[in-house]
Amino acid sequence: MSNLKKITLTENLYQYQFPPFPNQHFGFNIYALIDGNHAMLIDTAFEAQAKAVRDDLLAAGITITAVVFSHFHPDHISGLPMLNSPQIYGSGHYQTSLDQYTAKDKHSLFSGIKVVDDQSKLQFGRFELGFKPIQGHVICGLLTLINDEFVHVADDVMTSNDGRPLLPSVHISNVHKHIDSLEQLKQLAERTLLLSHGNAISGKAEVLRAIACRQQYLQNLASHAGKISIEAALAGCQCDFLHQDWHNHVYT
């Protein structure tokens, strides 16, 4: 894809960034960890994005042999058919999300998944991966720690490709879990956040500011017994969120 942007995060760790679809603000990221002529991806986006990453790596003689899924929404898993049956990893709650969001005839693609949790460790070349299950955005969410230097945050923090914050995507039933997942993320604030949508956030103060802004919105939701307007939900937030229309889905 000509609109692919490839960003070197550190040696053998790359961010492949793709633009948003029309009338949207969130793009798509696929991360690639390299070990010799093998690659492990975090997420696969859609088929076109996965194919672009596959082809770029193949041009360098690198084959994708593993994928970690941060969660099982379609914009994170739909690219899997473009890959050559890699080993896949994800949350033990993956089937719940597949049943809700993915056609039955696609479920067999995920039959060989290896479940990971907060006791799991994966070694891939010079990278050690650890995991923390989170359930604020979706029941099958997963933080992925990389060498105690980076943490992939799934969709718990999202921005546009130019760094503007996106409103948290949450249902009212999950608000307290989303607040809790961000509390867990605070404990990792000295790491660089790798986002499924948007650019990396680094520096403890900047990470904590990003978390606090999103928690303020969520706490405003949690503090009201019934529906509240977007204006009331944004009271006290120190950032200007894009995709405020997502607030319309909080209660549906």
Side-chain angles (χ1 to χ4, degrees):
M1 296 175 70
S2 59
N3 48 13
L4 162 65
K5 183 179 181 182
K6 185 177 180 181
I7 302 166
T8 302
L9 297 167
T10 189
E11 184 182 3
N12 290 333
L13 175 58
Y14 301 97
Q15 174 186 354
Y16 289 88
Q17 187 173 78
F18 300 87
F21 293 144
N23 302 315
Q24 295 180 342
H25 294 290
F26 59 95
F28 306 93
N29 292 328
I30 297 174
Y31 294 87
L33 293 70
I34 308 301
D35 176 28
N37 61 354
H38 298 281
M40 171 185 281
L41 303 186
I42 301 178
D43 291 340
T44 64
F46 293 103
E47 290 189 358
Q49 289 88 2
K51 180 180 183 300
V53 173
R54 180 200 70 191
D55 291 350
D56 182 75
L57 292 170
L58 280 176
I62 299 169
T63 302
I64 298 164
T65 56
V67 177
V68 173
F69 286 116
S70 68
H71 60 294
F72 288 78
H73 279 160
D75 58 322
H76 295 258
I77 66 173
S78 296
L80 185 59
M82 293 294 99
L83 310 181
N84 187 25
S85 301
Q87 177 61 63
I88 58 176
Y89 301 87
S91 162
H93 294 288
Y94 72 95
Q95 190 65 52
T96 300
S97 290
L98 288 182
D99 289 342
Q100 185 172 0
Y101 301 108
T102 302
K104 277 280 191 185
D105 62 355
K106 301 291 186 183
H107 288 202
S108 61
L109 292 167
F110 303 90
S111 61
I113 189 171
K114 290 190 176 181
V115 170
V116 293
D117 58 25
D118 55 5
Q119 301 300 309
S120 303
K121 297 289 183 184
L122 288 179
Q123 194 73 39
F124 190 79
R126 72 179 193 88
F127 299 106
E128 181 179 82
L129 280 66
F131 307 94
K132 287 184 179 292
I134 51 172
Q135 296 187 345
H137 177 67
V138 66
I139 191 172
C140 60
L142 202 64
L143 298 179
T144 301
L145 288 81
I146 305 172
N147 283 358
D148 206 32
E149 179 181 358
F150 300 93
V151 55
H152 186 280
V153 302
D155 282 3
D156 270 39
V157 176
M158 298 181 284
T159 76
S160 63
N161 284 2
D162 58 4
R164 292 176 290 169
L166 304 183
L167 194 75
S169 176
V170 65
H171 187 266
I172 191 64
S173 61
N174 276 3
V175 165
H176 288 287
K177 289 181 179 179
H178 208 322
I179 293 170
D180 179 67
S181 67
L182 290 171
E183 281 295 316
Q184 293 186 57
L185 196 55
K186 283 183 181 178
Q187 308 307 311
L188 303 169
E190 293 183 354
R191 287 76 173 172
T192 295
L193 306 191
L194 304 182
L195 282 55
S196 294
H197 307 285
N199 293 325
I201 302 174
S202 60
K204 185 174 182 178
E206 186 62 23
V207 169
L208 290 175
R209 189 194 73 80
I211 292 171
C213 189
R214 289 157 176 84
Q215 280 193 320
Q216 182 65 60
Y217 169 75
L218 296 166
Q219 287 163 353
N220 288 343
L221 295 179
S223 66
H224 286 71
K227 294 182 181 181
I228 62 172
S229 67
I230 184 63
E231 292 78 16
L234 293 176
C237 293
Q238 299 301 307
C239 58
D240 186 16
F241 287 115
L242 295 173
H243 273 302
Q244 294 184 17
D245 55 298
W246 289 350
H247 183 71
N248 297 330
H249 305 295
V250 169
Y251 302 97
T252 59

